[in-house]
Amino acid sequence: HNTGPLDPFLGDANDPSSLLDDLDPVEPLTDTDRREIAADLAELEEFELALTPHGILGIVVDCGDCGEQHFFSWALMAANLRSLLGDGRTGIHEPAAEPAQDAYVSWDYARGFTDALATQHR
């Protein structure tokens, strides 16, 4: 189910991540977790349909760990959510190189935009 980018070190005996300690075991997702992630995935698809025609390429997330913004294309964010549903964690990926920051919006902005569209069509 993971449609994200392939690990560039896949199958490489010299994979630098082999020097890292294994991550803590992943806690199994609850049924509530699964429903919420599936709802996020459906909402993300809605965002993409509504915002792509306006030049929006994906979602920006403020990272609590590093304090920086991370830019996710629609496809990468969807792959992360699918990975969460399958493996209980997201895949490793490289940050976007010089993303067009104006072409990414927060989850809350995307939700507000689609909610406003839904209100207009009532």
Side-chain angles (χ1 to χ4, degrees), residues 8 13 15-16 19 23-24 29 36-37 44 56 62 64 66 78 101 106-107 113-114 120:
D15 182 345
L19 301 173
L23 297 173
D24 291 333
L29 295 175
E36 288 174 357
I37 295 167
L44 182 72
I56 302 301
D62 293 323
C66 72
Q101 295 182 10
S106 70
W107 196 276
F113 188 90
T114 55
Q120 277 185 334

Side-chain angles (χ1 to χ4, degrees), residues 5-16:
L6 291 178
D7 179 351
F9 294 100
L10 188 66
D12 185 341
N14 297 314
D15 182 345

Side-chain angles (χ1 to χ4, degrees), residues 45-103:
E45 291 170 1
E46 221 180 295
F47 297 164
E48 182 178 8
L49 285 172
L51 290 162
T52 298
H54 298 280
I56 302 301
L57 303 176
I59 296 289
V60 61
V61 176
D62 293 323
C63 179
D65 292 335
C66 72
E68 304 223 358
Q69 292 184 316
H70 296 268
F71 299 85
F72 296 91
S73 68
W74 301 117
L76 183 55
M77 183 59 84
N80 281 344
L81 291 171
R82 286 187 192 101
S83 182
L84 274 174
L85 281 173
D87 302 335
R89 67 177 82 198
T90 61
I92 297 173
H93 62 276
E94 291 295 320
E98 299 181 32
Q101 295 182 10
D102 292 344

